Amino acid sequence: MSSASTIVPRRLHASLNGHKGPIHIATYAKGSAQYILTGGQDRTIKLWNKESGSIVKTYSGHGYEVLSISVSPENAKFASSGGDRVAYVWDVASGETLRRYSGHLGRINAIQFNPDASVVASGSFDGTVKLWDIRSQSRNAIQTLDDARDSISSIQITSSEIITGSVDGYVRSYDLRKGKLTSDYLGHPVTHILPTKDSLSLLITTLNSTLRLFDRANGTLLNSYRGHKNESYRTSACFGYGEATVLCGDEDGRIWGWNLLEGDIIGINPPPKAHEKVITWLEHHPISEAEMVSASADGTAKIWRA
């Protein structure tokens, strides 16, 4: 019998139905993570009660599709971005926009708060990452990173570092304290990056149906994970509970799980279909042992439990 830490949650707890058209992002609130935020093609962001599966609030303001959401650590605000080339910061309770940042020349694929939510980073189709100081009254970017030669697909930001993934096949790490840039070429378009909690390893999703886990100190490939189909669309991968597993949705609507250390597929191969279309986002609950949320182009987000 599998230990709890290597179980892939596959029992449907709730289907979140309320968007019109594809859902591009589904992310948990911080802390005990009792709520989920989703954003979609219909230009809205919705806040859901994850126990009942009901809509708590709808946030309207985007002029085009919503592609990315980042929640602040204290859950009081969140940032969002999408096709309208504007980075938004919202007040969760009132539903009003606190900030709107313009400056990108293309859609904004990724947005991320820094750990204390004083800065938000946005990554765009225009190949740049822009940093915005939320505490300042200025609406101008405090810094622009323009090293990528193609669209920015994913951003991770820590207190001292910004990591970006790009369609040009590179993962770039900016050490903010030393002013140093490190670039690693993956050979295929990068669609998503996610560091482990200790930031020592990085899980990278690329458009050759492969996930790779790298040691960040020396660039060593620790493991590869295959079986899923990911050749054309942005999908995301995540770690399961305790970082014992790697989870990913694919273009066939299946959710795959692998043992992190061995790289073996967990359960039947291929796994059952979870969605009718491509799974655009997958995220494991930050503290619960066996819960995750998936979002899909089929217009639904689903909460899964063991």
Side-chain angles (χ1 to χ4, degrees), residues 273-287:
K273 276 207 171 192
H275 287 275
E276 293 303 311
K277 294 182 179 179
V278 56
I279 296 174
T280 52
W281 198 262
L282 188 70
E283 189 167 307
H284 196 276
H285 191 281
I287 58 175

Side-chain angles (χ1 to χ4, degrees), residues 19-182:
H19 282 283
K20 296 177 181 177
I23 301 176
H24 299 300
I25 176 75
T27 190
Y28 282 99
K30 296 297 192 287
S32 59
Q34 295 302 307
Y35 297 93
I36 290 171
L37 281 160
T38 58
Q41 193 80 28
D42 63 6
R43 303 177 293 181
T44 69
I45 297 161
K46 296 185 185 298
L47 178 69
W48 306 80
N49 181 308
K50 76 181 186 70
E51 292 304 322
S52 64
S54 59
I55 297 173
V56 178
K57 201 173 191 70
T58 297
Y59 304 85
S60 300
H62 277 277
Y64 292 84
E65 75 272 18
V66 179
L67 298 172
S68 185
I69 298 170
S70 178
V71 184
S72 66
E74 81 293 344
N75 285 324
K77 56 184 176 284
F78 67 89
S80 65
S81 67
D84 48 12
R85 302 180 291 184
V86 178
Y88 293 76
V89 178
W90 304 77
D91 179 80
V92 171
S94 69
E96 296 179 355
T97 51
L98 302 173
R99 299 280 191 275
R100 297 187 186 196
Y101 298 111
S102 302
H104 282 293
L105 303 178
R107 69 175 183 265
I108 303 175
N109 297 316
I111 198 159
Q112 193 75 33
F113 279 116
N114 70 334
D116 68 0
S118 61
V119 173
V120 68
S122 56
S124 171
F125 183 78
D126 65 16
T128 69
V129 174
K130 291 182 180 293
L131 306 182
W132 315 90
D133 185 348
I134 295 173
R135 297 167 300 186
S136 170
Q137 292 305 307
S138 171
R139 295 297 187 268
N140 297 319
I142 55 174
Q143 192 170 356
T144 298
L145 310 174
D146 59 0
D147 301 281
R149 298 176 182 85
D150 208 328
S151 178
I152 300 293
S153 56
S154 187
I155 300 174
Q156 296 292 331
I157 179 169
T158 69
S159 58
S160 62
E161 188 177 37
I162 297 172
I163 312 170
T164 68
S166 172
V167 176
D168 67 9
Y170 280 89
V171 170
R172 295 176 174 87
S173 301
Y174 298 86
D175 187 320
L176 302 178
R177 290 171 181 161
K178 298 178 181 177
K180 180 184 177 184
L181 167 62
T182 304

